């Protein structure tokens, strides 16, 4: 039986070209293995995670992870179902299990024990939470806010990319931790309304409004104590200009700069000195030993209704992934963006229900 894979075809220049005929990626077919090696499991991908960091994975030479090689299956994480288990892994996995897997962009994958994790569903949860409010994006928000931001009662917290998978969780954590004021920046009126009415942000600013800098000033009358940055560029510049004394800036991402031929840094950098600002970049993998405890706390908040979810699921199968990734950088999503590779109706029975 053959299946499809998305292959990294040619480097972006600098933006990703979503054409599967002449663009950054191409489709190829492979044969599904009849025999599963003893140390592997065979999984079928159902939901594919799309993440801003993927642009960096294509070209970054000196980063936290090696770039994807030309001709290789595009890197990515998924929610998948176990179809077959190698004899050495029978105590850890069983057929029908839902797992998060580093499967890459393909319909089926052979993965080892370190590349897959069984999905444990808390009360009120669902398996797709393992890519969103209980996944890597939520862990990124958790450690960036808890370890670097450290919001306290009475403080003002600002989050850029606030309606995305990481930003929406970061802002909610700030509220849970007692921040006096949480302000989000997003790219549409609908996203801003979602942040305030559904997630409990105190204010939300559409950075596409001509007067967004004025709105930011009005929304932060006591300046910014904690800034969680997913955007970089002009938004980082404006927030640094509003930095409070001894503020903490958690630098998570810079989605506004990923497709830029010449990324720009903040001109108001002298505020780091005058306001004694701490700016720290971080990668979620640095906290791997703390994942379990963090996920327990996130699951508790989810069960208690303190943490809310939002998913943006793109239909169309594996081939929809390149165009959806381009849409991610254009801000098309509210919440966690995933591609539906295979409908749940095709899952093995009996199995966990999505």
């Amino acid at each position: 039986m053959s299946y499809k894979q998305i292959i990294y075809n040619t480097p972006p220049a600098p933006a990703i070209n979503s054409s599967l005929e002449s663009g950054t990626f191409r489709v190829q077919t492979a044969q599904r293995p009849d025999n599963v090696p003893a140390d592997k499991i065979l999984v079928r991908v159902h939901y594919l995670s799309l993440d801003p960091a993927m642009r960096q994975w294509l070209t970054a030479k000196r980063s936290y992870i090696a770039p994807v090689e030309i001709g290789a299956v595009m890197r990515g994480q998924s929610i998948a179902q176990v179809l077959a288990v190698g004899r050495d892994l029978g105590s850890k996995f069983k057929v029908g299990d839902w797992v998060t897997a580093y499967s890459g962009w393909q319909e089926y994958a052979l993965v080892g024990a370190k590349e897959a994790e069984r999905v444990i569903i808390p009360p009120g949860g669902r398996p797709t939470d393992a890519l969103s409010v209980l996944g890597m994006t939520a862990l990124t928000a958790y450690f960036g806010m808890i370890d670097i931001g450290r919001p306290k009662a009475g403080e003002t917290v600002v989050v850029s990319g606030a309606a995305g998978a990481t930003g929406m969780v970061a802002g909610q954590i700030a509220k849970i931790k007692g921040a006096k004021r949480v302000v989000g920046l997003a790219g549409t009126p609908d996203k801003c309304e979602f942040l305030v009415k559904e997630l409990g942000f105190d204010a939300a600013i559409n950075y596409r409004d001509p007067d967004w800098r004025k709105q930011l000033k009005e929304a932060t009358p006591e300046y910014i104590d904690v800034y969680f940055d997913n955007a970089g560029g002009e938004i980082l510049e404006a927030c640094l200009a509003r930095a409070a004394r001894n503020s903490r800036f958690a630098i998570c991402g810079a989605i506004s700069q990923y497709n830029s031929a010449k990324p720009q840094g903040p001109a108001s950098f002298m505020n780091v000195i005058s306001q004694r600002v701490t700016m720290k970049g971080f990668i979620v993998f640095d906290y791997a030993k703390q994942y379990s405890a963090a996920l327990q706390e996130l699951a508790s908040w989810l069960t208690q209704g303190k943490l809310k979810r939002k998913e943006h699921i793109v239909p169309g199968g594996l081939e929809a992934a390149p165009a959806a990734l381009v849409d991610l950088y254009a801000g098309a999503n509210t919440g966690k963006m995933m591609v539906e590779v295979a409908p749940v109706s095709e899952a093995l029975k009996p199995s966990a229900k999505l």
Side-chain angles (χ1 to χ4, degrees), residues 311-352:
E311 299 170 348
H312 182 109
I313 296 178
V314 179
L318 190 69
E319 294 94 333
L325 185 58
V326 171
D327 288 344
L328 177 71
Y329 296 115
N333 61 303
T334 299
K336 174 64 183 178
M337 183 179 271
M338 310 177 212
V339 172
E340 185 182 65
V341 177
V344 178
S345 60
E346 296 179 8
L348 293 177
K349 308 294 187 215
S351 66

Side-chain angles (χ1 to χ4, degrees), residues 5-132:
Q5 302 172 315
I6 299 291
I7 303 300
Y8 181 27
N9 187 52
T10 187
I16 292 169
N17 181 342
S18 63
S19 171
L20 288 172
E21 285 72 43
S22 58
T24 305
F25 306 100
R26 60 181 171 84
V27 179
Q28 79 174 22
T29 58
Q31 289 297 311
R32 205 176 94 178
D34 295 323
N35 298 309
V36 177
D39 61 345
K40 303 286 185 182
I41 59 174
L42 175 66
V43 300
R44 184 183 189 187
V45 172
H46 281 261
Y47 290 91
L48 192 65
S49 175
L50 295 185
D51 303 287
M54 287 175 164
R55 173 61 184 81
Q56 295 295 91
W57 296 349
L58 299 179
T59 54
K61 301 300 182 185
R62 186 171 179 262
S63 188
Y64 64 95
I65 192 170
V68 181
E69 295 185 4
I70 299 292
V73 173
M74 177 56 188
R75 181 183 294 143
Q77 192 181 31
S78 66
I79 289 287
Q81 192 178 35
V82 177
L83 300 187
V85 181
R87 65 175 181 272
D88 292 347
L89 298 181
S91 63
K92 188 168 184 179
F93 301 99
K94 66 179 185 296
V95 172
D97 281 347
W98 290 102
V99 296
T100 54
Y102 287 96
S103 60
W105 286 13
Q106 50 188 342
E107 294 174 320
Y108 296 86
L110 284 171
V111 295
K114 293 183 178 180
E115 300 167 311
E117 187 76 26
R118 286 183 65 237
V119 172
I120 299 173
I121 308 168
R126 55 197 187 211
T128 48
D129 289 339
L131 288 184
S132 57

Side-chain angles (χ1 to χ4, degrees), residues 206 208 324:
N206 182 354
R208 291 191 170 99

Side-chain angles (χ1 to χ4, degrees), residues 158 183 185 205 211-221 224 234-235 237-240 242:
V158 174
V183 179
L185 288 110
I205 297 164
D211 66 342
W212 70 268
R213 289 174 181 266
K214 179 175 179 289
Q215 293 180 45
L216 178 64
K217 183 177 180 180
E218 292 172 348
T220 57
I224 299 170
E234 290 185 338
I235 295 176
E237 160 74 19
C239 289
L240 190 56
R242 298 290 301 163

Side-chain angles (χ1 to χ4, degrees), residues 109-193:
L110 284 171
V111 295
K114 293 183 178 180
E115 300 167 311
E117 187 76 26
R118 286 183 65 237
V119 172
I120 299 173
I121 308 168
R126 55 197 187 211
T128 48
D129 289 339
L131 288 184
S132 57
V133 291
L134 300 178
M136 296 303 287
T137 50
L139 287 169
T140 301
Y142 182 93
F143 292 113
M145 191 59 73
I146 298 296
D147 187 59
I148 301 172
R150 306 186 309 279
K152 300 187 290 289
E155 292 192 325
T156 296
V157 178
V158 174
V159 180
S160 63
T166 300
M168 64 178 287
V169 176
Q172 290 183 85
I173 290 174
K175 293 295 291 185
I176 290 168
K177 290 298 179 179
K180 176 182 177 181
R181 188 165 179 79
V182 177
V183 179
L185 288 110
T188 68
D190 287 346
K191 289 182 179 183
C192 290
E193 183 177 9

